[in-house]
Amino acid sequence: DVKVTQSSRYLVKRTGEKVFLECVQDMDHENMFWYRQDPGLGLRLIYFSYDVKMKEKGDIPEGYSVSREKKERFSLILESASTNQTSMYLCASSWDQNEQFFGPGTRLTVL
Amino acid sequence: SQELEQSPQSLIVQEGKNLTINCTSSKTLYGLYWYKQKYGEGLIFLMMLQKGGEEKSHEKITAKLDEKKQQSSLHITASQPSHAGIYLCGADRRGRIGNQFYFGTGTSLTVIP
């Protein structure tokens, strides 16, 4: 079974803090994705990566950056957290043109 | 504007009843994916449809893609409390780097025992 894990289920940070969200997949997938999910807005793509050290902006990249130094790991970075970044963050991975497999999510609260 | 429209937004049914969730696009769908999300958790892949007229079933859940490949429906027969959750449709954004998806806003299903 494909496993996608995220470093934290719940996270509380203060405004202005630097936040790292980690995602690891164990199936050698090429593609990895970061989404945020908000009520009424659904899932929105923040960034994705289709190979090591490669990254592409999604629909809402502002305020975020990413890092993919190893194939299995994709990190989402909030350089200076703000209250409007309070959300559920979901990581996913996939191989080529196939279904995406999701992690359990990280619920981030920025105070 | 939302590229994938889901209806209804929420649904409350009595256990044992059948129900249908719809997912509609204004564009041709190259790949349509159904996911289920338990509240506060990640998404679980249910089914993928690619061909016009295609239909797939898993246990009591059936998904169909219309011939025009612009609408999909998810049908649950004899619903159970374990079916409760949020159902999302996702579609392949063909033409972009990597297999990017876009998602509908989801349908929240409550099953009353």
Side-chain angles (χ1 to χ4, degrees):
Chain A
D1 277 354
V2 175
K3 197 157 186 184
V4 181
T5 56
Q6 294 182 229
S7 50
S8 307
R9 291 298 304 274
Y10 300 93
L11 210 51
V12 180
K13 295 291 181 181
R14 296 208 174 273
T15 303
E17 280 192 81
K18 191 168 186 175
V19 182
F20 291 88
L21 302 182
E22 300 275 314
C23 175
V24 178
Q25 50 95 2
D26 66 357
M27 280 301 290
D28 204 36
H29 283 168
E30 299 159 339
N31 304 312
M32 295 188 76
F33 308 82
W34 275 107
Y35 295 89
R36 62 178 283 177
Q37 184 179 29
D38 301 286
L41 297 175
L43 270 75
R44 293 180 290 167
L45 181 64
I46 304 171
Y47 264 99
F48 75 100
S49 168
Y50 54 92
D51 202 351
V52 176
K53 297 193 188 292
M54 306 302 287
K55 58 187 178 185
E56 289 286 332
K57 292 180 181 178
D59 298 315
I60 51 163
E62 297 79 19
Y64 303 94
S65 62
V66 290
S67 171
R68 191 158 180 210
E69 296 296 318
K70 293 185 178 181
K71 194 172 186 180
E72 67 270 18
R73 190 178 296 268
F74 192 34
S75 303
L76 180 71
I77 303 152
L78 286 66
E79 294 290 341
S80 178
S82 62
T83 54
N84 62 12
Q85 292 179 309
T86 291
S87 186
M88 174 72 142
Y89 289 87
L90 291 160
C91 173
S93 72
S94 74
W95 181 78
D96 200 21
Q97 302 291 328
N98 289 285
E99 67 269 23
Q100 294 182 13
F101 292 88
F102 283 80
T106 296
R107 187 165 291 282
L108 172 68
T109 302
V110 182
L111 301 174
Chain B
S1 65
Q2 201 65 31
E3 294 183 69
L4 281 178
E5 295 286 342
Q6 277 188 247
S7 62
Q9 284 189 314
S10 65
L11 205 48
I12 302 173
V13 299
Q14 202 75 39
E15 183 177 358
K17 296 291 186 187
N18 302 337
L19 62 106
T20 300
I21 298 168
N22 293 302
C23 176
T24 303
S25 171
S26 57
K27 304 173 187 175
T28 300
L29 298 166
Y30 292 101
L32 191 286
Y33 300 79
W34 282 101
Y35 287 86
K36 178 187 173 185
Q37 183 180 29
K38 290 198 171 179
Y39 297 103
E41 297 185 10
L43 279 65
I44 299 166
F45 170 72
L46 295 175
M47 277 175 272
M48 176 182 75
L49 304 163
Q50 286 187 308
K51 298 175 187 172
E54 188 174 7
E55 180 175 319
K56 286 187 178 177
S57 292
H58 177 68
E59 297 180 343
K60 294 187 177 180
I61 301 177
T62 300
K64 299 179 188 179
L65 183 62
D66 74 342
E67 290 289 344
K68 281 187 174 181
K69 294 171 61 174
Q70 286 186 289
Q71 184 169 359
S72 179
S73 60
L74 186 85
H75 184 78
I76 298 177
T77 304
S79 58
Q80 300 168 355
S82 60
H83 287 128
I86 300 171
Y87 289 82
L88 294 106
C89 60
D92 187 346
R93 267 171 153 169
R94 189 59 58 89
R96 294 210 188 180
I97 297 172
N99 69 326
Q100 292 184 57
F101 285 7
Y102 49 90
F103 287 89
T105 51
T107 296
S108 175
L109 172 64
T110 302
V111 181
I112 301 170

